[in-house]
Amino acid sequence: MSSAPIALALHGGCGTLPPDELTPAEWAESRDHLAEALRAGWDVLKRGGRSLDAVEATVVVLENSPHFNAGHGAALNAAHEHELDSAIMDGATLSAGAVAGAQRIRNPVKAARALLERNEAILLIGPAADRFAEEAGLVVVENSYFTTPRRIDMLRRMKAHKASGTAASEGEKHGTVGAVACDRHGHLAAATSTGGYTNKPPGRVGDSPLIGAGTYARDGVCAVSCTGMGEYFMRAVAGHEIAAQMSLAGRSLDEATQAMVFDVIGKQGIGAGLCAVDAAGHVVVPFNTVGMYRGFVNADGDCYVGTHADLEFRGTWDRN
Amino acid sequence: MSSAPIALALHGGCGTLPPDELTPAEWAESRDHLAEALRAGWDVLKRGGRSLDAVEATVVVLENSPHFNAGHGAALNAAHEHELDSAIMDGATLSAGAVAGAQRIRNPVKAARALLERNEAILLIGPAADRFAEEAGLVVVENSYFTTPRRIDMLRRMKAHKASGTAASEGEKHGTVGAVACDRHGHLAAATSTGGYTNKPPGRVGDSPLIGAGTYARDGVCAVSCTGMGEYFMRAVAGHEIAAQMSLAGRSLDEATQAMVFDVIGKQGIGAGLCAVDAAGHVVVPFNTVGMYRGFVNADGDCYVGTHADLEFRGTWDRN
């Protein structure tokens, strides 16, 4: 077995994460699901598997959890429906797959992965994405499968904000899940999945399914998955800009990602976060908000799960 | 009136452009329409108008012409329908708007522009894009408005290729229109519009409407609009990569665009072209195929329209 570093990082969305948004039991469960998602990806990596499989496995766990804005538990749009976006990218080949505006795919990241493997269209939208998933043998569900009581309540609150002209908190607005990984062969991969933001206009697509914006991976440089108001990441072409800062301007992963989160996006007053890994297996999970659902296992096997700055779990996982 | 250079470039798609594809009268008319599109944008620029208005005006003429794969004359997908993609970006503010999978907007670039001005969602897809355009007061049409006899014939030929396993020529496959401009205030802008490629899967979205892939503009650096098999430009994040090569690695517009067209994309055996302008008003229209519908007016007022390497028109236009 090669001694190349393996590493994995994830996020489950950034924002204010108001403590009273969830019960203590729900907070504990959301952290458990972050750890479970990390474990799913880490199990792939430590047995010598591909980073592409690891990020998919990690994102599937987060999509299946009701606590994150992707898959089951995704945000409702202004028409009381779910429109789901996801992308996955293989840093080794720059192959990619993505879906946007999907309404029936239980795990959108699996459809993105199937498109990557098909190697024809990278991005399929709307009912065509749903049909593709069904034809590819993936599980399709009714749109209501994705709905949780919490998202119904959030939509009600967002519509009340809109009607009364009050501002919504970052915590009420969005969320996204994503993962990045470096495998034993030094290959990088990134995946992202989201329901967008609560009360979004139908048909709106953010940065998550766009290669180079919310999702990007290139071997030898970095893999990135972003969370925050997508339009800002789209204008910044955030994922590819981080890679360009590293590959063309000699910046480190820390420097390039801090600049994106705190300067490029943060100075516009926008909550932002991301998870990223470089070719040496160094992982970062920067965010400029009160909290971000996040976790990583680094090249030393140090495991970390956190939500707010002071609510963290640390441990060490076996690399072999 | 400032003496800052003004410049404009456009493309109408690259490929083999087989001479027998059009009658001599049709070839002449397609060149006339390229010149008319240039003139529409140039009129905006020379009266001191904005690059954003210039690229929109140019693309509208190309969308209205039956000779180019955008708007009227757009390619048919595998379901015998038109799904139209467009984007526009303002290099001064990095604001952008885009539509994908639109089926009823007569001029998709106008819907992209309206989204840019609305400054909420950057990208709207499918029926939501059509509804947005209608609500914004833009002209909506039946999907059949976009169909021309030539596109019906091309779809028949592509389906025959698929059935018989023969290869389609580049000329049969795709096409896109786009424009870039630099105005008297030094602001850059880019716009792109396309029907995708003939016989594309329904729901497939290429690089054209994706900010940083087929369409990108940033003041002080460059504006770019790409044409060719979109998936390759998406993986390369082509527009933003060209800007990064210039801003972070000190490459010239010529070097960065040649590298993209001939090395990054060309070495994968893929036909590619683009139009681009830098902050000094220098314009380029590189392509690696037999021909590309293209034209520009440079900072000296030199006007150029071409299709194949040996079919060109040159002149000089008044800058004031």
Side-chain angles (χ1 to χ4, degrees):
Chain A
M1 197 65 90
S2 154
S3 64
I6 58 175
L8 176 72
L10 64 78
H11 67 74
C14 68
T16 50
L17 315 189
D20 60 358
E21 189 76 31
L22 302 182
T23 64
E26 287 171 329
W27 278 112
E29 191 177 77
S30 71
R31 286 190 291 275
D32 287 347
H33 290 181
L34 291 175
E36 188 188 324
L38 270 183
R39 174 61 72 187
W42 191 248
D43 282 347
V44 172
L45 294 175
K46 76 175 187 175
R47 67 167 185 257
R50 299 172 67 190
S51 52
L52 198 61
D53 293 323
V55 296
E56 180 182 345
T58 293
V59 168
V60 163
V61 173
L62 298 172
E63 285 179 339
N64 290 345
S65 167
H67 296 300
F68 308 105
N69 179 6
H72 179 58
L76 284 156
N77 71 11
H80 295 254
E81 292 182 346
H82 303 276
E83 293 186 305
L84 309 177
D85 305 336
S86 181
I88 190 166
M89 186 167 191
D90 178 359
T93 59
L94 304 183
S95 298
V99 293
Q103 298 207 276
R104 296 175 54 233
I105 309 169
R106 187 179 64 181
N107 289 107
V109 73
K110 289 189 181 183
R113 175 65 187 272
L115 281 163
L116 181 153
E117 298 296 339
R118 183 77 56 102
N119 197 25
E120 292 173 2
I122 288 177
L123 173 57
L124 282 186
I125 62 173
D130 294 327
R131 282 195 304 271
F132 168 80
E134 191 160 18
E135 287 163 17
L138 299 177
V139 177
V140 295
V141 293
E142 293 300 310
N143 195 250
S144 60
Y145 159 80
F146 303 108
T147 309
T148 57
R150 185 168 161 234
R151 294 299 176 190
I152 293 171
D153 183 55
M154 289 179 102
L155 180 61
R156 185 189 55 69
R157 279 190 277 159
M158 285 298 294
K159 286 188 178 287
H161 278 307
K162 192 154 190 174
S164 65
T166 54
S169 72
E170 289 291 315
E172 288 171 306
K173 279 194 290 193
H174 37 78
T176 291
V177 312
V180 295
C182 177
D183 66 28
R184 280 199 204 285
H185 308 283
H187 297 316
L188 305 180
T192 310
S193 185
T194 188
Y197 60 89
T198 299
N199 206 31
K200 70 179 179 181
R204 175 266 189 187
V205 175
D207 63 318
S208 301
L210 306 187
I211 300 307
T215 305
Y216 190 67
R218 194 194 319 165
D219 272 14
V221 186
C222 65
V224 181
S225 171
C226 300
T227 171
M229 194 66 183
E231 280 71 12
Y232 291 81
F233 291 88
M234 291 162 78
R235 281 192 273 267
V237 198
H240 187 264
E241 174 68 19
I242 289 166
Q245 291 284 345
M246 294 174 65
S247 62
L248 298 176
R251 303 229 157 74
S252 69
L253 182 73
D254 278 292
E255 291 166 343
T257 56
Q258 293 273 322
M260 180 57 61
V261 169
F262 291 95
D263 296 340
V264 177
I265 311 277
K267 284 186 179 165
Q268 299 178 73
I270 299 300
L274 56 82
C275 60
V277 62
D278 69 15
H282 181 55
V283 292
V284 295
V285 286
F287 56 99
N288 66 13
T289 48
V290 172
M292 180 168 84
Y293 296 98
R294 63 201 186 279
F296 60 78
V297 195
N298 68 17
D300 299 322
D302 296 328
C303 167
Y304 170 93
V305 169
T307 53
H308 302 71
D310 56 347
L311 287 169
E312 303 177 342
F313 162 82
R314 291 174 187 276
T316 303
W317 284 1
D318 186 5
R319 293 183 65 233
N320 298 302
Chain B
M1 196 65 89
S2 154
S3 65
I6 58 175
L8 177 71
L10 64 77
H11 66 74
C14 68
T16 50
L17 314 189
D20 60 359
E21 188 78 29
L22 302 182
T23 66
E26 287 171 329
W27 278 112
E29 191 177 77
S30 72
R31 286 189 291 273
D32 287 348
H33 290 180
L34 291 176
E36 188 187 324
L38 271 183
R39 174 62 71 185
W42 191 248
D43 283 347
V44 171
L45 294 175
K46 75 174 187 177
R47 68 168 185 258
R50 298 170 68 190
S51 53
L52 198 61
D53 293 323
V55 296
E56 180 182 345
T58 292
V59 167
V60 163
V61 172
L62 298 171
E63 286 179 339
N64 290 344
S65 167
H67 296 300
F68 308 105
N69 178 7
H72 179 58
L76 285 156
N77 70 13
H80 295 255
E81 293 182 342
H82 303 275
E83 292 187 304
L84 308 177
D85 304 337
S86 181
I88 190 166
M89 186 168 191
D90 179 358
T93 60
L94 304 185
S95 298
V99 294
Q103 300 207 274
R104 296 175 55 232
I105 309 169
R106 188 178 63 182
N107 289 107
V109 74
K110 290 189 180 183
R113 176 64 187 273
L115 281 163
L116 181 153
E117 298 296 338
R118 184 73 60 101
N119 196 25
E120 291 172 2
I122 289 178
L123 173 57
L124 282 186
I125 62 172
D130 295 327
R131 283 195 303 272
F132 168 80
E134 191 161 18
E135 287 164 15
L138 299 178
V139 178
V140 295
V141 293
E142 293 300 311
N143 197 250
S144 59
Y145 158 81
F146 302 109
T147 309
T148 56
R150 185 167 161 237
R151 294 298 176 190
I152 294 171
D153 184 54
M154 289 179 99
L155 180 61
R156 186 189 53 70
R157 279 191 278 159
M158 285 298 293
K159 286 188 178 288
H161 278 306
K162 193 153 191 175
S164 66
T166 54
S169 72
E170 289 293 314
E172 289 170 305
K173 278 194 290 193
H174 39 76
T176 291
V177 311
V180 295
C182 177
D183 66 28
R184 280 199 204 285
H185 308 283
H187 296 316
L188 305 180
T192 310
S193 185
T194 189
Y197 60 88
T198 299
N199 206 31
K200 70 179 179 181
R204 176 267 187 187
V205 175
D207 63 318
S208 300
L210 306 186
I211 300 307
T215 305
Y216 190 67
R218 195 196 317 167
D219 272 14
V221 186
C222 66
V224 181
S225 171
C226 301
T227 170
M229 194 66 184
E231 280 71 12
Y232 291 81
F233 291 88
M234 292 162 76
R235 283 192 273 266
V237 199
H240 186 264
E241 174 68 19
I242 289 167
Q245 290 285 344
M246 294 174 65
S247 62
L248 298 176
R251 304 228 157 75
S252 70
L253 183 72
D254 278 293
E255 291 167 342
T257 56
Q258 293 273 322
M260 181 56 62
V261 169
F262 292 94
D263 296 341
V264 178
I265 312 278
K267 284 187 178 165
Q268 299 179 73
I270 298 300
L274 56 83
C275 61
V277 62
D278 69 16
H282 182 53
V283 292
V284 295
V285 286
F287 56 99
N288 66 13
T289 48
V290 172
M292 180 168 83
Y293 296 98
R294 63 200 187 279
F296 61 77
V297 195
N298 68 18
D300 298 321
D302 295 329
C303 167
Y304 171 93
V305 170
T307 52
H308 302 70
D310 56 348
L311 285 169
E312 303 179 342
F313 162 82
R314 290 175 188 276
T316 304
W317 283 0
D318 186 7
R319 292 184 66 234
N320 297 303

